Amino acid sequence: MPLINGKAVTAVLLIALLLVILYCYVSQSYRVVLSFQEKSKATEDDTLRYKQPSIVQGRTDVVAVTPWLAPVVWEGTFDSGLLDSIYRPKNITVAATVFAVGKYIMFLKDFLETAEKYFFVGFRVHVYVFTDRPNEVPQVKMAAGRQLTVMPVPSSNRWQEISARRMELIQTLIEKKLRNHTDYIFCLDVDSKFHGRWGTESLGGLVAVIHPGYYRNERSKFPYERRPASRAYVAPGEGDFYYCGGAFGGLLQEVHLLAKTCRQNFEADAKVGIEAAWQEESHLNRYMWINKPSKVLSPEYLWQDFKSKNPEIQIIRFSGVVKNYADIRPN
Ligand SMILES: CC(=O)N[C@H]1[C@@H](OP(=O)(O)OP(=O)(O)OC[C@H]2O[C@@H](n3ccc(=O)[nH]c3=O)[C@H](O)[C@@H]2O)O[C@H](CO)[C@H](O)[C@@H]1O
Ligand SMILES: [Mn+2]
């Protein structure tokens, strides 16, 4: 009898142990399933709650696509929360180049401070400041994930050279410093401030900004380089838009090719004694005619403070300040 009891107790204990193990296993798996469900619910909440898109309602006062089917970015054509949630998990790094040579250093503080407020807020941003006055670079507090690197460059006594040599320096920066660390790059004029969001909606392979001064004009009025001897030449009847030299960007490899090509063409022109009408801006325009940008930013992305706002401009995101050329340029 005691023997049977002993066996029975062992059997009961064994069964109990098995049941406990089974319970632990099942409850653990259930918790995993639960937490997975919670996670996907959270992701859904983050990304999928936004205004229903429509293909029959939207802005009718502007054109939001080019004839080669690149988006033209205007306020009211995109959902910024949705776009941010698409790019956030990709953990992207965006570089920005800005040149502050000679007296143009005076514009840097406002540029950097407003970039903190509006340029890719919440994303990893690395600003490269090219200057001949490294000691005068202002201290601007940057948010976590954002940083600034000063790149010393020689002074010059011709503004045209400063402006045009940017292409060479951008090319070299990409080759020597950015490859493998950076996804996108934007190259911006320093004599400007941000006034509104400039973020993930601007990302694309090759990104150009439409110049605020000419977008309502006939292409024959665009200030393209018109001498056939120049490598920046655009023939009458050709050209899509007039783009700004003061802002362009895109994927690193695309901007590298653009900068390299514009630099080569600028130097080839110089060898035969030609400087294009608007220096690197002319070469950029020629490049964008041959190599269509995959995304086009509306003049919201580079307005000019002296211009009054046109009705289609619902927001000014980045704008050139009013400046006295005679005071600040070296020539
Ligand atoms: C808004 C816009 O599209 N601007 C373009 C336009 O004139 P801008 O009148 O805007 O040219 P600008 O005087 O701003 O010069 C272009 C940039 O070069 C740098 N800089 C220039 C001079 C100087 O002494 N120190 C210095 O640092 C600075 O970053 C400046 O923002 O045409 C230029 C053609 O050459 C450039 O294509 C500019 O990008
Ligand atoms: Mn400028």
Side-chain angles (χ1 to χ4, degrees):
M1 207 49 188
L3 246 183
I4 292 171
N5 269 350
K7 272 188 184 167
V9 168
T10 316
V12 166
L13 279 176
L14 265 177
I15 290 168
L17 189 65
L18 275 175
L19 280 174
V20 168
I21 291 170
L22 194 67
Y23 171 77
C24 288
Y25 177 73
V26 168
S27 72
Q28 194 56 40
S29 324
Y30 187 57
R31 230 173 280 151
V32 170
V33 169
L34 254 189
S35 77
F36 177 75
Q37 279 174 348
E38 264 160 27
K39 235 187 227 154
S40 48
K41 190 163 164 278
T43 333
E44 269 173 28
D45 284 350
D46 285 352
T47 59
L48 297 181
R49 293 270 168 85
Y50 58 91
K51 198 169 160 262
Q52 182 189 346
S54 170
I55 57 163
V56 287
Q57 275 176 345
R59 283 191 70 165
T60 52
D61 58 334
V62 290
V63 176
V65 66
T66 67
W68 59 96
L69 297 179
V72 184
V73 183
W74 293 94
E75 178 70 357
T77 62
F78 62 90
D79 187 305
S80 52
L82 167 62
L83 278 160
D84 284 355
S85 75
I86 291 170
Y87 282 96
R88 194 156 290 125
K90 297 185 196 288
N91 220 2
I92 54 165
T93 298
V94 179
T97 62
V98 64
F99 287 70
V101 178
K103 292 185 184 165
Y104 278 58
I105 192 88
M106 70 165 71
F107 300 114
L108 192 55
K109 188 165 187 284
D110 281 351
F111 174 94
L112 294 173
E113 283 179 354
T114 57
E116 278 297 295
K117 282 196 194 154
Y118 298 112
F119 186 72
F120 285 94
V121 174
F123 286 84
R124 261 211 307 273
V125 171
H126 197 146
V127 180
Y128 292 87
V129 174
F130 291 79
T131 183
D132 57 340
R133 302 182 180 190
N135 299 333
E136 293 174 44
V137 172
Q139 292 287 325
V140 170
K141 199 174 162 348
M142 297 177 90
R146 301 171 74 93
Q147 56 176 317
L148 183 149
T149 299
V150 177
M151 307 285 294
V153 290
S155 312
S156 168
N157 50 20
R158 283 190 74 237
W159 67 266
Q160 295 90 336
E161 187 183 311
I162 298 169
S163 190
R165 278 203 61 227
R166 289 185 291 181
M167 289 298 186
E168 175 193 339
L169 293 162
I170 291 163
Q171 179 196 341
T172 325
L173 175 79
I174 295 174
E175 289 168 4
K176 301 250 163 82
K177 286 214 154 203
L178 304 191
R179 283 205 170 134
N180 309 322
H181 305 287
T182 309
D183 304 290
Y184 295 94
I185 179 169
F186 284 96
C187 309
L188 304 168
D189 261 21
V190 74
D191 54 336
S192 345
K193 288 192 226 176
F194 293 89
H195 302 275
R197 175 196 160 96
W198 180 323
T200 48
E201 74 284 356
S202 67
L203 295 175
L206 180 63
V207 182
V209 182
I210 294 186
H211 197 292
Y214 306 94
Y215 69 96
R216 287 161 167 246
N217 293 358
E218 299 267 316
R219 48 154 74 118
S220 62
K221 300 267 173 24
F222 293 168
Y224 292 141
E225 171 55 55
R226 298 300 190 180
R227 291 168 293 178
S230 167
R231 303 240 182 152
Y233 176 63
V234 180
E238 294 185 351
D240 300 302
F241 304 107
Y242 190 75
Y243 302 107
C244 291
F248 56 90
L251 280 172
L252 213 59
Q253 59 270 34
E254 291 277 354
V255 176
H256 179 256
L257 189 57
L258 159 86
K260 191 173 152 203
T261 310
C262 289
R263 176 216 177 161
Q264 280 169 353
N265 289 339
F266 188 85
E267 287 174 0
D269 270 10
K271 278 211 179 102
V272 292
I274 296 177
E275 184 174 271
W278 288 101
Q279 295 78 36
E280 83 302 338
E281 184 174 84
S282 306
H283 288 277
L284 175 126
N285 270 281
R286 162 84 194 182
Y287 186 88
M288 296 287 181
W289 163 241
I290 310 285
N291 309 273
K292 306 292 190 212
S294 59
K295 186 170 273 186
V296 173
L297 305 181
S298 72
E300 296 166 0
Y301 288 81
L302 189 33
W303 198 249
Q304 283 169 336
D305 284 356
F306 68 79
K307 274 177 77 70
S308 53
K309 218 156 92 175
N310 290 335
E312 63 276 9
I313 304 295
Q314 297 183 355
I315 177 176
I316 292 173
R317 304 173 189 281
F318 187 59
S319 180
V321 302
V322 177
K323 61 186 194 282
N324 182 345
Y325 285 99
D327 279 353
I328 52 156
R329 280 181 170 169
N331 58 314

